[in-house]
């Protein structure tokens, strides 16, 4: 499939996991990629890999929680490619704590990256997406849909991403810009390297987040993001697609 020929796509969190798989999938389908992340070595490696496949790809360091960096990244993308068709907000961070022990700095950092970062990117991209009648795919989580242990801060951020998605979808529906979200469940990526159960946590509660199909792969999420961002998703907006191997079924 070449659903993204002549399409320019900006992917945040592109250096790893779901962002990397999304970049690879869209590049394989013909997209020109603008890959942003905070991990320089990994994002340059990705871009080199994409170019080796014959794709057009650029990278830029950008902390999505910094609105000036976000504005500059979107401007650089449009300067390089002349337009923007699709924004994939994949960058995100995770940590687990007992809610009564969450430090204010940790709460604020999760909000800054997962919520502010998603909003800043949408705000900077929307003028260009209005011009191209493009679309946005945000990465939320099943943590936004059901109670998950030790994830008070993370689930609050992902619930905010869903609310933002639905609101933007309605705000811009008449102007031809679609906004959707995906809600992955347990996907094997490096985000789990930072996974540490808080002290005294009962591991039996983890069953709530485990899929009867086993853990998913980043490619499972990338394929759905590609569908939503493509013409195959032309009549879908304000939607969130659960990709959790039946965990919440
Ligand atoms: P990952 O850690 O492999 O990738 C996250 C990427 O985001 C990394 O490359 C990281 O450098 C980047 N990033 C982090 N902070 C950033 C910042 N401030 N600015 C720019 N980039 C930043 O993790 P992943 O599992 O691929 O996660 C991708 C998204 O999927 C996240 O939003 C995460 O919350 C969401 N998600 C993951 C799972 C899962 O099980 N893996 C489940 C549900 C939702």
């Amino acid at each position: 499939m070449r659903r993204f020929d002549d399409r320019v796509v900006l992917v945040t969190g592109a250096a790893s996991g779901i962002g990397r798989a999304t970049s690879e999938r869209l590049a394989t389908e013909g997209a020109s990629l603008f890959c942003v992340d905070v991990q320089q070595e990994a994002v340059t490696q990705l871009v080199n890999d994409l170019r080796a496949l014959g794709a057009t790809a650029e990278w830029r360091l950008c902390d999505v929680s910094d609105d000036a960096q976000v504005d500059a990244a979107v401007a650089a993308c449009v300067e390089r490619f002349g337009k923007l068709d699709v924004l994939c907000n994949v960058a995100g961070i995770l940590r687990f704590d007992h809610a009564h022990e969450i430090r204010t700095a940790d709460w604020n950092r999760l909000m800054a990256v997962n919520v502010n970062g998603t909003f800043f990117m949408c705000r900077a991209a929307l003028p260009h997406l209005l011009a191209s009648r493009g679309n946005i795919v945000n990465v939320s989580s099943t943590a936004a849909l059901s109670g998950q242990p030790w994830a008070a801060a993370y689930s609050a951020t992902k619930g905010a991403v869903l609310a933002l998605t639905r609101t933007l979808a309605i705000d811009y529906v008449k102007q031809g810009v679609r906004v959707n979200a995906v809600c992955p469940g347990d996907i094997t990526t490096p985000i789990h390297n930072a996974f540490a159960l808080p002290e005294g946590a009962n591991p039996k509660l983890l069953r709530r987040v485990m899929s009867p199909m086993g853990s998913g792969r980043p490619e499972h999420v990338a394929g759905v993001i590609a569908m939503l961002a493509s013409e195959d998703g032309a009549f879908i907006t304000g939607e969130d697609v659960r990709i959790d191997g039946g965990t919440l079924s």
Side-chain angles (χ1 to χ4, degrees), residues 28 42 54 69 72-73 79 88 97 145 157 177 196 210 226 232 245:
T28 305
Q69 290 187 38
E79 188 178 347
C88 298
D97 300 280
L145 306 174
T157 68
V177 174
M210 289 166 77
D232 288 333

Side-chain angles (χ1 to χ4, degrees), residues 12-19 36-39 62-65 89-94 109 113-114 139-142 154 158 183-192 218:
T12 72
S16 175
I18 294 166
V36 308
D37 207 287
V38 288
Q39 298 189 61
C62 171
D63 179 341
V64 297
S65 71
N89 279 311
V90 188
I93 55 174
L94 164 74
R109 187 62 189 156
V113 176
N114 296 1
V139 177
S140 177
S141 166
T142 50
Y154 180 73
K158 293 302 185 177
C183 292
D186 174 21
I187 308 293
T188 303
T189 73
I191 209 169
H192 294 292

Side-chain angles (χ1 to χ4, degrees), residues 145-248:
L145 306 174
S146 74
Q148 296 196 352
W150 323 301
Y154 180 73
S155 55
T157 68
K158 293 302 185 177
V161 168
L162 273 194
L164 179 66
T165 300
R166 294 178 183 132
T167 299
L168 293 181
I170 293 306
D171 275 355
Y172 296 97
V173 69
K174 292 292 190 192
Q175 288 141 287
V177 174
R178 297 183 299 108
V179 188
N180 290 296
V182 292
C183 292
D186 174 21
I187 308 293
T188 303
T189 73
I191 209 169
H192 294 292
N193 297 344
F195 184 106
L197 297 192
E199 202 177 321
N202 184 339
K204 283 184 182 161
L205 287 174
L206 273 180
R207 287 186 197 139
R208 290 179 64 84
V209 296
M210 289 166 77
S211 160
M213 293 174 71
S215 294
R217 298 193 312 272
E219 296 75 21
H220 290 132
V221 183
V224 178
I225 291 175
M227 182 280 287
L228 289 170
S230 76
E231 277 305 295
D232 288 333
F235 200 51
I236 303 174
T237 196
E239 183 57 273
D240 55 281
V241 180
R242 192 160 53 83
I243 310 161
D244 71 346
T247 305
L248 298 189

